């Protein structure tokens, strides 16, 4: 994105799979590039790919702590 006020997602905007990616950081740009490569390789038949956007870091190393993501880490770390 250009950084223009109109380039940012507003609270009333509807987001779908066809929404244009407009990352504002290097991190966001690399995620968008990875998704585009996966999509292109899948479309060309090089692989059967699926992209998953996780809402947070799932597993933190070490003992559980007070971090918000600790509850998600426990889901993976602890057997059910």
């Amino acid at each position: 994105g250009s950084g223009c006020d109109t380039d940012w997602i507003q609270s009333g905007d509807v987001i779908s799979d066809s929404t244009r990616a407009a990352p504002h950081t290097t991190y966001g740009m690399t995620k968008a590039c990875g998704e585009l490569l996966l999509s292109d390789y899948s479309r060309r038949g090089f692989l059967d790919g699926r992209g998953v956007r996780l809402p947070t870091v799932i597993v933190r190393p070490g003992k559980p702590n007070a971090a918000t993501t600790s509850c998600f880490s426990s889901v993976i770390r602890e057997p059910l």
Side-chain angles (χ1 to χ4, degrees):
S2 65
C4 177
D5 290 340
T6 59
D7 199 26
W8 295 88
I9 302 297
Q10 304 298 318
S11 62
D13 293 344
V14 177
I15 308 298
S16 71
D17 287 340
S18 61
T19 302
R20 179 180 67 91
H24 294 271
T25 64
T26 302
Y27 174 73
M29 184 272 308
T30 56
K31 285 182 68 172
C33 284
E35 289 179 2
L36 288 171
L37 282 172
L38 179 63
S39 177
D40 190 45
Y41 283 13
S42 296
R43 181 182 57 82
R44 292 180 182 208
F46 296 150
L47 53 86
D48 182 14
R50 301 286 188 275
V52 178
R53 294 182 181 180
L54 300 175
T56 185
V57 175
I58 292 182
V59 180
R60 291 177 176 261
K63 295 180 181 178
N65 57 33
T68 303
T69 58
S70 182
C71 65
F72 295 109
S73 297
S74 297
V75 170
I76 301 299
R77 188 183 299 118
E78 305 294 327
L80 297 175

